[in-house]
């Protein structure tokens, strides 16, 4: 069970602390809830989310007459699941039934954007789809080559221009190529330098405009890649990108490398953007569609 394995660090920390809490307190009282609050915050669940969750749990404990700490544990996992599961199918990618689906990948350098593009390309290829990559990060040294390495690894072509060229021009080329080759999916890399926020956002807008000019309902998905190990930084990146462009979903990478997997809850609850995929390792198979029930199960199992 990949999901469960990927959450090992979070689970060990989170569940370990939870079990201690239940052992130490036995009774559900004010102090118990304060400790629980600390545990959730240290797992990066996010202060606002934690506050609401604790209020909810207090209500539930009251109405259900729960006084033993062991009995509140299932209620906690129930509430976490509720928080994540806003609707059943919102995590599915919006794919075109016929014709080209364009997916724009955005995010700051180093979060795992290239790796995620490679993993997604692999997933689509396995589904029998014809996939093409667009090397839209023309700014970062080595970005194009790195994408090509992934292209070779999974067996898909990369549409590119020289380093330093206009990313919008690359997108234009890539869309032409995708259409003439009757590709099913075009995965577009973009630059991720956050040092110059205004320029980056302008560039993203331009890239998006070019795509929409060629295909009016595209991009069909704008996936923001966030690194789970960066905690609250990931939250602020999500806010920045969310202001600049319509992010339709989040890919949360490196969930395997953090004990702070509670960030999933903070993102879902505080930003109202669905987490669509999680990265659980560096390999091409280490990308999983996000499922709230599996996540919660993975935390407690
Ligand atoms: P980019 O700069 O955003 O394109 O980032 P890269 O795709 O180059 O990834 C940066 C590093 O993170 C690389 O060493 C990847 O192997 C690693 N990485 C990416 N995704 C994951 C993941 O889900 N889990 C782990 N453990 N490492 C990852």
């Amino acid at each position: 069970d990949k999901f469960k394995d990927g959450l090992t660090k979070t689970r060990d920390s989170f569940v370990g602390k939870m079990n201690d809490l239940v052992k130490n307190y036995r009774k559900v009282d004010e102090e118990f809830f304060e400790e629980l609050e600390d545990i959730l915050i240290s797992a990066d669940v996010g202060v606002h989310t934690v506050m609401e969750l604790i209020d909810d749990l207090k209500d539930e404990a009251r109405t259900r007459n729960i006084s033993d700490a062991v009995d509140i544990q299932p209620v906690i996992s129930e509430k976490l699941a509720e928080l994540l599961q806003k609707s059943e199918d919102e995590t599915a990618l919006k794919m075109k039934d016929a014709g080209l689906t364009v997916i724009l990948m955005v995010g700051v350098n180093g979060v795992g954007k290239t790796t995620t593009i490679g993993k997604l390309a692999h997933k689509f290829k396995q589904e029998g789809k014809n996939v093409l990559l667009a090397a839209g990060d023309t700014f970062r040294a080595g970005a194009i080559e790195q994408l090509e390495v992934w292209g070779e690894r999974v067996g898909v072509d990369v549409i590119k221009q020289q380093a330093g060229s206009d990313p919008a021009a690359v997108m234009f080329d890539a869309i032409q190529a995708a259409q003439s080759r009757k590709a099913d999916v075009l995965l577009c890399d973009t630059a991720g330098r956050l040092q110059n926020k205004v320029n980056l956002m302008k560039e993203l807008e331009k890239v998006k405009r070019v795509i929409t000019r060629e295909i009016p309902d595209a991009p069909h998905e704008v996936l923001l890649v966030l690194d789970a190990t960066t905690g609250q930084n990931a939250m602020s990146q999500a806010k920045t990108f969310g202001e600049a462009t319509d992010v339709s979903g989040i890919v949360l990478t490196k969930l395997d490398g953090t004990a702070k997997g509670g960030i999933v809850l903070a993102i879902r609850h505080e930003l109202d953007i669905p987490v669509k995929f999680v990265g659980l390792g560096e390999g091409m198979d280490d990308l999983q569609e996000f499922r709230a029930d599996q996540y919660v199960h993975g935390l407690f199992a």
Side-chain angles (χ1 to χ4, degrees):
D1 189 333
K2 271 232 171 79
F3 217 101
K4 226 174 101 180
D5 292 346
L7 281 168
T8 301
K9 285 192 184 167
T10 301
R11 182 176 54 251
D12 286 353
S13 149
F14 187 67
V15 176
K17 285 182 196 164
M18 285 282 239
N19 290 342
D20 287 347
L21 179 66
V22 170
K23 231 186 292 155
N24 292 341
Y25 282 87
R26 295 175 203 279
K27 291 284 160 209
V28 178
D29 54 16
E30 198 53 41
E31 233 179 310
F32 173 88
F33 281 117
E34 266 169 39
E35 286 286 327
L36 179 61
E37 197 174 301
D38 287 345
I39 292 173
L40 291 166
I41 287 174
S42 73
D44 254 350
V45 173
V47 177
H48 300 290
T49 313
V50 171
M51 297 302 194
E52 263 183 60
L53 199 62
I54 296 286
D55 282 347
D56 247 24
L57 284 170
K58 283 182 182 171
D59 282 348
E60 286 292 328
R62 219 172 296 128
T63 44
R64 296 195 205 178
N65 252 320
I66 296 171
S67 60
D68 286 346
V70 270
D71 296 330
I72 197 94
Q73 253 181 328
V75 186
I76 296 171
S77 57
E78 207 177 287
K79 287 284 154 197
L80 290 178
E82 257 174 46
L83 210 66
L84 283 169
Q85 196 104 53
K86 294 212 173 162
S87 84
E88 285 281 318
D89 58 5
E90 65 171 11
T91 56
L93 287 179
K94 293 182 226 58
M95 305 294 291
K96 301 291 283 182
D97 288 332
L100 181 65
T101 300
V102 181
I103 302 177
L104 195 61
M105 304 294 294
V106 302
V108 173
N109 286 339
V111 293
K113 187 150 39 89
T114 314
T115 307
T116 302
I117 292 171
K119 289 171 175 176
L120 279 172
H122 175 63
K123 168 189 136 65
F124 290 132
K125 247 204 120 194
Q126 281 195 316
E127 292 168 3
K129 294 188 168 79
N130 184 358
V131 186
L132 212 56
L133 307 182
D137 185 355
T138 58
F139 185 82
R140 182 170 64 98
I144 299 170
E145 291 74 17
Q146 204 194 336
L147 195 66
E148 285 185 303
V149 169
W150 269 105
E152 266 177 42
R153 196 175 292 161
V154 301
V156 303
D157 284 343
V158 179
I159 304 300
K160 57 162 185 176
Q161 289 184 8
Q162 279 174 348
S165 58
D166 182 354
V170 177
M171 290 309 159
F172 180 81
D173 275 3
I175 288 178
Q176 304 307 312
Q179 285 176 328
S180 72
R181 298 182 191 192
K182 303 211 180 322
D184 301 303
V185 188
L186 176 65
L187 286 166
C188 307
D189 192 12
T190 59
R193 56 190 192 286
L194 204 58
Q195 298 89 315
N196 192 336
K197 215 154 79 178
V198 177
N199 278 353
L200 174 63
M201 297 308 163
K202 272 192 190 148
E203 181 174 313
L204 274 183
E205 271 314 301
K206 190 175 168 196
V207 160
K208 230 179 131 187
R209 231 174 17 246
V210 167
I211 295 173
T212 308
R213 201 166 58 212
E214 297 308 306
I215 305 173
D217 65 339
H220 305 96
E221 288 277 358
V222 179
L223 297 182
L224 172 63
V225 184
L226 297 174
D227 178 343
T229 65
T230 64
Q232 295 308 308
N233 256 343
M235 291 295 287
S236 74
Q237 285 166 21
K239 281 181 193 138
T240 305
F241 278 91
E243 282 161 18
T245 186
D246 293 322
V247 176
S248 60
I250 284 170
V251 181
L252 194 63
T253 62
K254 310 184 199 178
L255 205 54
D256 55 304
T258 181
K260 295 177 168 245
I263 187 83
V264 175
L265 291 146
I267 289 170
R268 185 68 199 94
H269 193 61
E270 287 169 35
L271 303 173
D272 208 29
I273 305 171
V275 174
K276 296 203 169 181
F277 289 95
V278 290
L280 300 169
E282 295 183 283
M284 63 174 102
D285 287 310
D286 297 328
L287 186 76
Q288 291 268 306
E289 275 176 45
F290 180 74
R291 292 276 167 267
D293 50 344
Q294 284 180 8
Y295 171 81
V296 174
H297 179 75
L299 275 190
F300 290 96

